[in-house]
Amino acid sequence: MAEKTYILDGNSLLFRCFYATFRPGVTLMSTKGGTPTNAIFGFANMVTTLRNSLAPGDKMIVCFDTSAPTFRSKEINGYKAQRKPLEPALKEQMPIAREFLDAMGIDHAEMPGYEGDDVAGSLAKFAEAKGDNVVLFTSDKDFLQLIDDKIEVHSLRKGLTDVVVYTKDNVKELFGCQADQVVDFKALAGDPSDNYKGIPHIGAKTAFGLLDKYPHLEDILEAYKGKNDTAL
């Protein structure tokens, strides 16, 4: 039986834990010295639960963003520009999360110039190539493009008790297209969460419909070459 590699999207977990209890102007959990702890509390519980579930030979690593500009922010004008600045109470807990992992002996990784997603995706493909089954924990749908026979995505909705498990067999049913079409879908419909545009007049419903008819974006462009927008 293949060993497993568990890869956690650290920023996604911290965001989920923080906003599950965050109220503007209210500190719901903190140390005696006033350091907020609501994100760390949930993060530590989830990470500990997962680590305790590991079988002999299984691995786990947590991936993080860095504060350095990424190659996307340099290439795409306005990338993620619509997002609000990080809440100070959450920002304060980011380094504590890393300290917690170090204290627990749990590996974590990050790379300036890249998002934690990029690091996690690269590690997922590396672990797969080594023969492991890979489980990715995140709330980011971008990870769905990685799904194949040995990689599945556990999409977090609330802690580890409310999780949608995406696999090669159900990703089209649950999301709307196959895993290898996720990039094509983003190119067609855009991604408001990252503030980049798709093709004008094409929303999610139209994009999924086109990907039902054609395998990939290149096939769609070829089929509609020379036609106007109304042909879509």
Side-chain angles (χ1 to χ4, degrees), residues 182-202:
V182 171
V183 173
D184 304 291
F185 170 76
K186 298 277 186 175
L188 288 164
D191 189 341
S193 67
D194 287 336
N195 198 36
Y196 64 80
K197 311 299 181 184
I199 296 176
H201 313 306
I202 293 185

Side-chain angles (χ1 to χ4, degrees), residues 154-198:
H154 289 214
S155 181
L156 307 172
R157 295 196 294 192
K158 186 177 181 181
L160 293 174
T161 59
D162 189 359
V163 176
V164 178
V165 178
Y166 289 91
T167 68
K168 185 178 179 180
D169 294 330
N170 68 15
V171 63
K172 186 178 190 302
E173 176 188 356
L174 296 178
F175 180 67
C177 66
Q178 300 292 352
D180 67 351
Q181 294 178 312
V182 171
V183 173
D184 304 291
F185 170 76
K186 298 277 186 175
L188 288 164
D191 189 341
S193 67
D194 287 336
N195 198 36
Y196 64 80
K197 311 299 181 184

Side-chain angles (χ1 to χ4, degrees), residues 26-171:
V26 178
T27 303
L28 295 178
M29 299 178 68
S30 66
T31 65
K32 290 182 179 179
T35 302
T37 58
N38 64 323
I40 291 298
F41 178 78
F43 178 83
N45 281 338
M46 287 199 291
V47 169
T48 301
T49 298
L50 282 173
R51 193 185 72 163
N52 290 342
S53 71
L54 299 183
D58 290 348
K59 283 82 70 178
M60 184 170 76
I61 188 167
V62 184
C63 301
F64 291 104
D65 295 339
T66 73
S67 58
T70 69
F71 71 93
R72 291 185 185 86
S73 62
K74 294 176 181 178
E75 293 182 7
I76 304 174
N77 186 34
Y79 181 63
K80 295 186 178 180
Q82 87 291 358
R83 296 194 183 186
K84 297 179 180 179
L86 199 65
E87 289 287 343
L90 175 55
K91 188 174 183 179
E92 191 173 354
Q93 296 177 72
M94 293 290 190
I96 301 174
R98 292 166 173 82
E99 293 174 10
F100 164 77
L101 295 172
D102 288 337
M104 296 288 286
I106 297 172
D107 291 327
H108 56 93
E110 57 192 61
M111 182 177 292
Y114 295 87
E115 297 181 23
D117 300 5
D118 302 310
V119 178
S122 298
L123 289 172
K125 300 304 288 186
F126 175 79
E128 179 185 36
K130 300 286 283 186
D132 283 8
N133 291 319
V134 180
V135 182
L136 287 153
F137 289 87
T138 183
S139 57
D140 190 339
K141 296 295 194 300
D142 286 349
F143 280 83
L144 299 182
Q145 65 190 276
L146 296 168
I147 293 173
D148 59 23
D149 290 329
K150 295 180 72 67
I151 299 177
E152 62 185 42
V153 173
H154 289 214
S155 181
L156 307 172
R157 295 196 294 192
K158 186 177 181 181
L160 293 174
T161 59
D162 189 359
V163 176
V164 178
V165 178
Y166 289 91
T167 68
K168 185 178 179 180
D169 294 330
N170 68 15
V171 63

